[in-house]
Structures are given as C-alpha cells and as structure tokens.
Amino acid sequence: MLQAVFAIGLAGATVLYATGVRRLWRRAGRGRGVSGWRVGTGAVAVLILIVALLSPLDAMADDLFSAHMVQHLLLLLVAPPLLVAAAPEYVGLWGLPASARRRLTRWWRHSPSARGAVSRVLRPGPVWAANVAILWFWHLPAAYDAAVRNQGVHALEHASFLIAAFFFWWLLFRHTLRRRMDRGLGIVYVFTAGLQGSALGALLALA
C-alpha cells in the first residue's frame, strides 16, 4: 500500500515536471528556459528514487541494516543534489495551469511576510541544524525501531530525509533568495555536515 502511494506521488511529480518542460520549451525553444542537462538530472533523480523506494531494496531494508543504510544514502546524498540541479521549483511552477501559476506568483510577489519567513528559515545555520537533527533523530533506537515496525512512520522518515536534504543542497548550489552561498562557507557547510555524519556512522558501527 505504501509503495503504491509513493508510486502515485512520484508519477504525479514527474508528470508535473514534464508538463513544465514542455511548456517552457514550446515558449522559449528546446533547451531554453531549462537546459537539457537539467532535465536529464531530473530523470536520473527519479530513477534513484524508484530504486530507493519502489525496488526490492525497500523490502530488504526492513530486514538488513546495510540495505537500510544504502536506502538512506540514496535519499540523503544522491537523489537530492540531482533534484536541485533539475530546478523542480521553477519547472514545476510552469507545469501548473496558467491561472494557478499567475495566482501563486502574484501571491508571492505581494507577500513580503511570507518571503521574509522563508528567507529566515532557508539560511545555512537553520538548514544545517535541521539536517543534523533529523539524521540523528531517526537513528535513535526507539525512532529506528518505530520506522521499521510502522509503515507510516517509515514514510515520514523517508520524506523528512528527502525534504531536508533537498534544501541542504539547494542552499549550496541554487540559493536564489539573496545570492549563492559563499565558497568558503560552502566548504565549511559540507565538511561539518560530513563530519557529524561520520561520527554517527562510527557510533553505529561500534554499537
């Protein structure tokens, strides 16, 4: 049942993205508006998500800790940067009906409080801390066992990994609210995230 929900959601998102690509290329010309390589990374990201969530790997993850960790790595380190490169927030907007797209764009332009709130939340410090907190929380024994026993909790775990990781990589590569992240800060941002991930891996290996 849960795999069917994932499949429907992934199919819907893919159709929305493909519709956006078609409209952009029909308006601006093939390869313009969104480049072909970005569309390609989006296709690869979808394939990675299929492997992580809809392939036999998902069933194996319930019984094998190693398969569980591979699944997590795909959701944290492989699929999210590919999704960021595909610019889904921009292309997906073009996939919406024209009336909905205009209403959403108009609301965003005339909602300084919403833009301010998003700008405050999507900063390196809060996003880094959220990723670390989510990663460590789901590897606590009680949370891990709950995710293995309950499919709804397992789905929440996967969703939190993917969403948090998407914004982690989005800040690094495509931060457009103000400007792209400074290169020096980006190095520290990624290095410290990797460092705490290594610490968690060491604890799990020695447990």
Side-chain angles (χ1 to χ4, degrees):
M1 178 62 181
L2 188 59
Q3 282 197 328
V5 173
F6 281 143
I8 293 170
L10 189 57
T14 302
V15 169
L16 181 67
Y17 186 88
T19 302
V21 171
R22 180 174 58 83
R23 287 175 178 165
L24 279 168
W25 284 0
R26 185 173 59 192
R27 173 182 287 246
R30 186 176 181 85
R32 297 186 176 183
V34 58
S35 61
W37 75 265
R38 290 192 182 277
V39 176
T41 59
V44 174
V46 170
L47 291 176
I48 296 297
L49 291 174
I50 290 173
V51 170
L53 301 173
L54 302 174
S55 76
L57 176 65
D58 185 57
M60 292 169 59
D62 291 338
D63 301 315
L64 293 176
F65 183 76
S66 57
H68 198 89
M69 291 302 103
V70 169
Q71 190 179 43
H72 288 183
L73 290 174
L74 292 176
L75 293 173
L76 289 166
L77 298 178
V78 182
L82 291 172
L83 287 172
V84 169
E89 73 284 3
Y90 169 67
V91 179
L93 183 65
W94 277 91
L96 296 173
S99 58
R101 185 169 66 247
R102 284 194 295 268
R103 285 197 299 270
L104 186 59
T105 303
R106 191 180 306 115
W107 171 81
W108 179 253
R109 287 176 177 172
H110 294 87
S111 299
S113 58
R115 294 198 304 272
V118 171
S119 180
R120 286 191 294 273
V121 171
L122 293 183
R123 289 183 177 179
V127 171
W128 186 95
N131 271 267
V132 172
I134 289 170
L135 181 64
W136 283 75
F137 171 79
W138 286 114
H139 288 91
L140 294 173
Y144 179 88
D145 290 342
V148 171
R149 289 194 305 266
N150 187 294
Q151 289 297 305
V153 176
H154 203 180
L156 179 62
E157 177 190 37
H158 288 166
S160 63
F161 279 156
L162 187 61
I163 294 170
F166 175 85
F167 286 110
F168 178 91
W169 295 105
W170 181 80
L171 274 183
L172 186 66
F173 294 129
R174 298 194 63 252
H175 186 195
T176 55
L177 290 177
R178 293 177 181 229
R179 59 184 178 85
R180 183 170 292 184
M181 188 183 297
D182 176 77
R183 182 174 296 180
L185 176 60
I187 292 172
V188 174
Y189 180 76
V190 174
F191 176 76
T192 52
L195 195 63
Q196 62 81 31
S198 299
L200 175 59
L203 287 175
L204 292 173
L206 296 173

